[in-house]
Amino acid sequence: MPPQRSTRPTQRDIAELAGVSITTVSHVVNGTRAVAPETRAAVLEAIEQTGYTGDVIARSLVTGGTRSIGVAISLLANPYFAVLMQTIEREAAAAGYTVLLSDTHDTVDTEQAVVRALRSRRVEGLLLTSVPGDGSVISELVSLGIPTVLVDRLATRGDVDQVGAENIQSTSALTEHLASLGHRRIGFVAGTPGLATSEERTLGYRLGLGRGGLAWNPDLVVPGHSERAGGADAFAALLDRPEPPSAVVVGNDAMMAGVLHEARRRQLHVGKDVAVVGFDDTEWADLVDPPLTTMAQPIADIGREAVRLLLSRIKDPDRRPETLRLPPVLRHRESCGCPAIHPDS
């Protein structure tokens, strides 16, 4: 006697009804490969006829969405991650969406894997902090019509929504401030080469030199690769120059941690022996001695705008892409060598 078939519809039932293979049904359900529109329509009609709701993914095909968004971001490379995610989750929840988070580890292979995993969960859109040096994931998302917003690291393309901090003018302002204090040799600890934020802040540093009446000197720029150890090594290299800088602009607070460690190792008093300014304003920036003069990224605003842009794209897939650059706020404290103007700001 043949075994009884389950009364609950399966992908095999859908395949037979639609006249396609089980593999094709799987691709439609999981979004793992492009399927011809007429074939996809036949599979969706079969799902609706059979009442197949084997999982949340299948139910989403019938109801029109999972009410979820994905976030693919490097946790290690983002010291402000907690504030950003709190804002994203709060704004998404207010709109009735849940958030699925994946860590890209800032590597191309992992980024590709986690984005595809999020797509297989049928998220309705993605917030992505892209990995440096690879735009293939972004291009794939755009070509597939998946609502996507780039967060923090912006790309030089106009076919995708983006939101991040304004980096050029703000870094220029930091550099100009040091020049206004009389510093003639101002070093720069740059971030990861090829990273959009690093390139923009390097450009801002160069712009600030010009505005301060100083010449560009490539010998005063050393990459710190956006991490603590690299920041310490870059700062050490600047200090070991035959004519070391009297002031240094540091590209982010991860590298700043290394800079402060190296200054302490050399028994240098920041603000007196060497002026230092930074970018990010992480939670410890006003707790060190002296407190750091830095540009505070508008992290909560970036999170809010990212969710707004994504929900707007989900609602209106054909609207024109937007790029938003939100201005940081100067926290003028004492590491630059002058008394804090707004110590509580």
Side-chain angles (χ1 to χ4, degrees):
M1 181 176 180
Q4 284 189 327
R5 293 186 63 175
S6 169
T7 57
R8 181 180 180 181
T10 65
Q11 287 194 11
R12 181 181 298 277
D13 297 323
I14 297 169
E16 291 176 356
L17 185 59
V20 299
S21 68
I22 295 176
T23 300
T24 298
V25 172
S26 176
H27 285 313
V28 172
V29 169
N30 295 300
T32 48
R33 194 184 70 187
V35 176
E38 61 273 16
T39 303
R40 175 180 169 81
V43 171
L44 295 180
E45 183 178 354
I47 288 174
E48 190 166 4
Q49 287 181 12
T50 60
Y52 175 66
T53 55
D55 51 36
V56 67
I57 294 172
R59 285 193 296 275
S60 75
L61 294 170
V62 178
T63 62
T66 58
R67 304 292 292 182
S68 64
I69 61 175
V71 178
I73 187 172
S74 172
L75 308 189
L76 183 63
N78 290 275
Y80 44 79
F81 163 77
V83 174
L84 181 64
M85 282 307 303
Q86 285 173 359
T87 305
I88 288 172
E89 290 184 328
R90 182 173 60 249
E91 295 297 311
Y97 281 76
T98 57
V99 176
L100 302 180
L101 171 66
S102 288
D103 185 359
T104 66
H105 299 288
D106 235 16
T107 66
V108 173
D109 290 344
T110 305
E111 179 187 56
Q112 291 174 340
V114 301
V115 166
R116 287 173 182 168
L118 288 169
R119 283 176 49 206
S120 74
R121 299 289 299 274
R122 306 296 294 191
V123 294
E124 295 186 36
L126 278 166
L127 301 178
L128 173 67
T129 297
S130 57
V131 171
D134 181 72
S136 61
V137 169
I138 303 171
S139 296
E140 181 179 339
L141 292 170
V142 170
S143 66
L144 291 172
I146 296 172
T148 301
V149 177
L150 303 185
V151 181
D152 183 35
R153 298 173 180 173
L154 310 190
T156 55
R157 53 193 301 164
D159 57 353
V160 63
D161 292 309
Q162 313 183 67
V163 59
E166 192 291 313
N167 293 301
I168 298 174
Q169 299 300 330
S170 50
T171 309
S172 174
L174 286 171
T175 309
E176 291 176 71
H177 174 62
L178 293 175
S180 74
L181 296 176
H183 296 285
R184 311 275 36 98
R185 289 181 63 80
I186 302 173
F188 185 58
V189 177
T192 302
L195 188 63
T197 51
S198 300
E199 300 299 332
E200 289 173 358
R201 290 173 194 174
T202 300
L203 179 59
Y205 159 76
R206 189 166 185 170
L207 180 64
L209 290 176
R211 289 173 171 172
L214 303 177
W216 160 259
N217 182 350
D219 195 47
L220 292 178
V221 178
V222 181
H225 302 283
S226 300
E227 48 91 24
R228 175 175 173 166
D233 291 342
F235 188 53
L238 287 171
L239 295 177
D240 289 338
R241 296 284 194 261
E243 293 183 68
S246 61
V248 176
V249 179
V250 183
N252 69 19
D253 275 356
M255 295 184 294
M256 178 63 81
V259 166
L260 296 179
H261 178 80
E262 181 64 16
R264 184 174 60 185
R265 191 184 73 81
R266 293 179 180 234
Q267 298 183 331
L268 295 177
H269 193 289
V270 169
K272 292 183 179 179
D273 299 321
V274 60
V276 171
V277 297
F279 206 108
D280 279 344
D281 194 39
T282 45
E283 60 184 7
W284 50 265
D286 62 343
L287 302 177
V288 296
D289 184 23
L292 297 179
T293 293
T294 184
M295 281 290 177
Q297 292 213 56
I299 300 304
D301 290 339
I302 289 173
R304 276 190 291 270
E305 289 296 329
V307 174
R308 182 189 67 79
L309 285 173
L310 186 59
L311 297 182
S312 177
R313 175 64 58 192
I314 291 170
K315 182 178 180 181
D316 182 9
D318 297 322
R319 70 166 178 79
R320 192 172 184 175
E322 297 180 56
T323 294
L324 302 180
R325 297 179 183 273
L326 307 182
V329 176
L330 176 64
R331 305 297 191 201
H332 193 171
R333 301 187 182 111
E334 299 168 43
S335 66
C336 58
C338 52
I341 295 176
H342 302 294
D344 298 324
S345 66

